[in-house]
């Protein structure tokens, strides 16, 4: 017989950076699409409409960058559910076995999903790819941003990208990654809802309060 008890899984930094990223990505996507396909929204140039759109984009970009770097730091400072090991389950035997069982469930071979307390192994692997996309987004974005300030710290950190790649190449990469992240967000919402229904572990509510319902054998 198994019962459930509430376990504190997602610490405050994990939940905070998650929601900061959500808001920042929405703002960046909306303003980024407008910047990429600008339309006249002002009656006079003095209204500085595009300037304000770019300003909001840049503020959101800095906020997003700080949040991502804070989450990466917490991979080494947080509990085991926030650890970097959760994002690379393929590195250990149990992780590889769990990945296989999870894949069988997603492929409709197994009827039940293996119960996990933190991220399931396939989700953790996907999140490691998403973090890589975050870093690509940050690198290309700040490199483009630094073009107008060649003596700035930002240019010293990211200017080498402008040497290796063309301006248009960076813009195209920046734009493509945005759509990849939007696609991931759609899949992420569906997967979270699906696993919440199947596992009944409070996946969706846990990102607000931090607690999940965990199985415990008597």
């Amino acid at each position: 017989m198994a019962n459930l008890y509430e376990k504190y899984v997602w610490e405050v930094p994990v939940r905070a950076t998650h929601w900061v990223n959500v808001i920042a990505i929405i703002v960046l996507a909306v303003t980024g699409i407008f910047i990429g396909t600008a339309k006249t929204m002002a009656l006079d140039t003095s209204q500085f409409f595009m300037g304000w759109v770019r300003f909001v984009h840049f503020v959101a970009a800095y906020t997003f960058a700080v949040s991502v770097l804070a989450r990466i730091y917490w991979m080494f400072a947080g509990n085991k559910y926030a650890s970097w090991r959760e994002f690379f389950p393929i590195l250990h035997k149990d992780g590889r076995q769990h990945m296989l069982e999870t894949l069988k469930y997603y492929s409709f071979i197994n009827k039940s999903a293996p119960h996990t307390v933190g991220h399931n192994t396939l989700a953790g692997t996907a999140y490691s790819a998403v973090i890589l996309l975050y870093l690509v987004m940050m690198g290309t974005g700040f490199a483009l941003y630094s073009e107008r300030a060649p003596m700035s710290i930002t240019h010293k950190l990211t200017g080498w990208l402008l040497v290796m790649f063309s301006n248009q190449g960076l813009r195209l990469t920046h734009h493509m990654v945005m759509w990849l992240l939007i696609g991931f967000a759609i899949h992420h919402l569906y997967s979270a809802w699906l696993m919440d229904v199947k596992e009944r572990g409070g996946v969706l509510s846990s990102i607000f309060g931090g607690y999940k319902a965990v199985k415990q054998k008597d």
Side-chain angles (χ1 to χ4, degrees):
M1 179 180 179
N3 53 24
L4 299 175
Y5 74 100
E6 286 195 337
K7 184 176 182 63
Y8 187 59
V9 177
W10 308 125
E11 299 168 298
V12 172
V14 174
R15 305 195 316 268
T17 53
H18 175 274
W19 290 113
V20 169
N21 289 350
V22 169
I23 296 171
I25 288 173
I26 292 173
V27 174
L28 287 166
V30 172
T31 54
I33 290 172
F34 180 81
I35 292 169
T37 56
K39 297 183 182 299
T40 301
M41 300 290 287
L43 299 176
D44 188 84
T45 55
S46 63
Q47 292 180 286
F48 200 59
F49 186 83
M50 176 57 81
W52 281 112
V53 171
R54 286 169 57 85
F55 173 75
V56 171
H57 191 79
F58 298 153
V59 170
Y62 274 106
T63 304
F64 177 70
V66 171
S67 179
V68 171
L69 294 177
R71 181 63 183 89
I72 292 174
Y73 165 76
W74 204 249
M75 288 181 182
F76 302 92
N79 64 17
K80 66 178 182 179
Y81 305 112
S83 172
W84 64 271
R85 294 178 180 84
E86 289 282 296
F87 298 89
F88 300 97
I90 198 172
L91 296 179
H92 51 89
K93 183 178 179 180
D94 290 342
R96 291 191 293 271
Q97 180 62 34
H98 199 284
M99 287 180 71
L100 179 60
E101 294 301 317
T102 306
L103 183 61
K104 286 180 179 179
Y105 170 71
Y106 285 154
S107 303
F108 304 103
I109 297 175
N110 288 352
K111 292 184 178 180
S112 59
H115 185 76
T116 55
V117 178
H119 299 301
N120 76 54
T121 48
L122 288 183
T125 302
Y127 296 153
S128 66
V130 170
I131 291 173
L132 178 60
L133 291 179
Y134 285 170
L135 296 176
V136 171
M137 203 65 162
M138 290 161 56
T140 55
F142 281 112
L144 293 168
Y145 174 71
S146 70
E147 283 187 296
R148 300 295 180 267
M151 300 302 292
S152 65
I153 295 177
T154 305
H155 189 270
K156 291 178 181 179
L157 292 174
T158 61
W160 56 274
L161 288 170
L162 292 165
V163 176
M164 296 181 63
F165 306 101
S166 67
N167 173 283
Q168 189 58 35
L170 292 179
R171 290 181 184 277
L172 180 60
T173 301
H174 198 67
H175 187 79
M176 289 176 62
V177 172
M178 177 196 71
W179 286 110
L180 288 174
L181 291 175
I182 290 174
F184 164 77
I186 296 170
H187 178 270
H188 180 59
L189 284 171
Y190 169 74
S191 296
W193 171 80
L194 173 66
M195 299 313 293
D196 204 4
V197 171
K198 293 298 184 180
E199 291 185 342
R200 301 184 183 278
V203 173
L204 293 177
S205 61
S206 68
I207 199 58
F208 293 95
Y211 288 88
K212 289 185 69 176
V214 179
K215 294 180 180 179
Q216 175 179 272
K217 292 184 178 179
D218 292 335

